[in-house]
């Protein structure tokens, strides 16, 4: 059970005070009956709530495919920096979190949700969910090195990754590639590149699983 005004503000994006005004005007019905008290308790899954005859459906979960900019931390709160959750300012959900992490200077796809089960499925190491990054490095890349697996100081070598080289500029000593990995070790791409003697100068995640 949930308060009618909470339900409506979570599902519509109206503020609680806007919702209270709307409810008091008599525009809202619950199971066909006009309800003018914002504090009325409703069953969020079963009650049929309408505003001016338009039904407002209940969605427990929200999903955002965020194109994370640089400068934001992948956390729900932080003392120093803005977080990726701060970007989703339109949401009334209080329990949004990022599915995994991108470094503060990494850009690209980050799923933000309050669906813990989905997050668990996407992050569980045994599921080997593919993640593809666009990577720019100083240095010249070699496909073979990542395809064999790399010792980055973990118990086991990295699972063989896939690299598609996009640019090799020998004169300026820079390269770029798409790198697809099946794990999510801390700073994994940067550590893999470091081990190969390259420094990542730009990193952007372009896909995660089927997203
Ligand atoms: N690998 C990294 O090194 N950093 C990221 O943000 C993501 C993957």
């Amino acid at each position: 059970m949930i308060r009618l005004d909470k339900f409506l503000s979570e599902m519509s994006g109206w503020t609680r005070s806007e919702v209270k005004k709307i409810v008091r005007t008599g525009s809202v019905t619950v199971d066909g009956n006009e309800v003018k008290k914002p504090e009325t308790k409703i069953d969020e899954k079963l009650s049929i709530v309408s505003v001016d005859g338009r039904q407002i459906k209940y969605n427990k979960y929200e999903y955002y495919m965020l194109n994370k900019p640089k400068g934001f931390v992948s956390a729900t709160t932080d003392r120093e920096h803005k977080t990726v959750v701060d970007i989703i300012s339109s949401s009334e959900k209080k329990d949004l979190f990022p599915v995994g992490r991108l470094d503060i200077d990494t850009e690209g796809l980050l799923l933000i949700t309050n669906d813990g089960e989905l997050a668990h499925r996407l992050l569980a190491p045994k599921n080997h969910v593919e993640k593809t990054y666009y990577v720019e490095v100083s240095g010249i890349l070699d496909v073979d090195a990542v395809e064999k697996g790399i010792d980055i100081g973990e118990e086991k070598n990295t699972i063989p990754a896939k690299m598609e080289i996009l640019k090799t500029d020998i004169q300026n000593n820079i390269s770029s590639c798409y790198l697809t990995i099946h794990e999510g070790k801390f700073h994994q791409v940067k550590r893999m590149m470091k081990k190969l003697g390259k420094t990542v100068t730009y990193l952007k995640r372009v896909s995660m699983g089927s997203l």
Side-chain angles (χ1 to χ4, degrees):
M1 300 293 276
I2 180 176
R3 278 177 63 124
L4 177 61
D5 54 354
K6 184 170 192 305
F7 170 91
L8 279 173
S9 69
E10 281 192 13
M11 294 309 131
S12 67
W14 288 312
T15 63
R16 279 290 261 278
S17 56
E18 284 168 337
V19 164
K20 282 184 178 139
K21 274 190 210 145
I22 293 166
V23 174
R24 287 188 183 117
T25 63
S27 301
V28 177
T29 58
V30 177
D31 298 328
N33 304 312
E34 191 179 284
V35 175
K36 285 190 165 180
K37 287 187 178 156
E39 66 278 15
T40 306
K41 286 277 173 68
I42 61 155
D43 182 328
E44 67 274 25
K45 288 185 191 131
L46 295 178
S47 303
I48 297 175
V49 180
S50 302
V51 178
D52 292 328
R54 192 170 56 89
Q55 190 180 343
I56 308 289
K57 292 249 172 73
Y58 178 67
N59 288 316
K60 187 170 174 198
Y61 297 124
E62 284 187 0
Y63 305 89
Y64 297 89
M65 284 170 67
L66 177 70
N67 184 6
K68 176 190 172 299
K70 273 185 190 159
F72 290 80
V73 290
S74 300
T76 51
T77 56
D78 192 85
R79 286 199 186 157
E80 222 181 304
H81 299 99
K82 288 240 179 217
T83 75
V84 290
V85 172
D86 294 332
I87 298 174
I88 317 290
S89 54
S90 60
S91 178
E92 284 293 318
K93 299 269 191 246
K94 300 284 174 277
D95 50 356
L96 293 175
F97 61 88
V99 177
R101 286 172 182 214
L102 291 177
D103 298 335
I104 190 162
D105 59 347
T106 300
E107 299 178 8
L109 175 63
L110 187 61
L111 184 66
I112 312 285
T113 186
N114 53 347
D115 182 345
E117 237 174 84
L118 175 73
H120 182 71
R121 278 209 307 278
L122 287 170
L123 296 177
K126 70 173 167 48
N127 291 340
H128 300 304
V129 171
E130 259 190 14
K131 283 148 253 172
T132 299
Y133 294 86
Y134 168 74
V135 192
E136 290 179 358
V137 297
S138 54
I140 302 304
L141 289 165
D142 168 15
V143 171
D144 286 352
V146 297
E147 292 188 345
K148 281 190 208 121
I150 298 176
D151 177 1
I152 57 169
E154 299 276 332
E155 213 174 299
K156 289 186 183 156
N157 283 5
T158 57
I159 296 173
K162 214 168 62 200
M163 184 189 281
E164 180 192 341
I165 294 181
L166 300 169
K167 184 169 114 183
T168 302
D169 179 345
I170 295 174
Q171 227 171 11
N172 295 307
N173 193 39
I174 51 173
S175 337
S176 61
C177 70
Y178 283 128
L179 180 68
T180 301
I181 61 176
H182 304 84
E183 306 155 281
K185 303 240 159 65
F186 185 60
H187 293 329
Q188 180 160 343
V189 175
K190 290 176 185 163
R191 286 162 72 198
M192 287 169 74
M193 292 298 149
K194 190 168 176 209
K195 186 72 189 196
L196 301 175
K198 325 287 178 230
T199 305
V200 172
T201 54
Y202 179 79
L203 187 58
K204 177 172 189 158
R205 182 154 66 195
V206 294
S207 71
M208 182 174 187
S210 59
L211 301 175

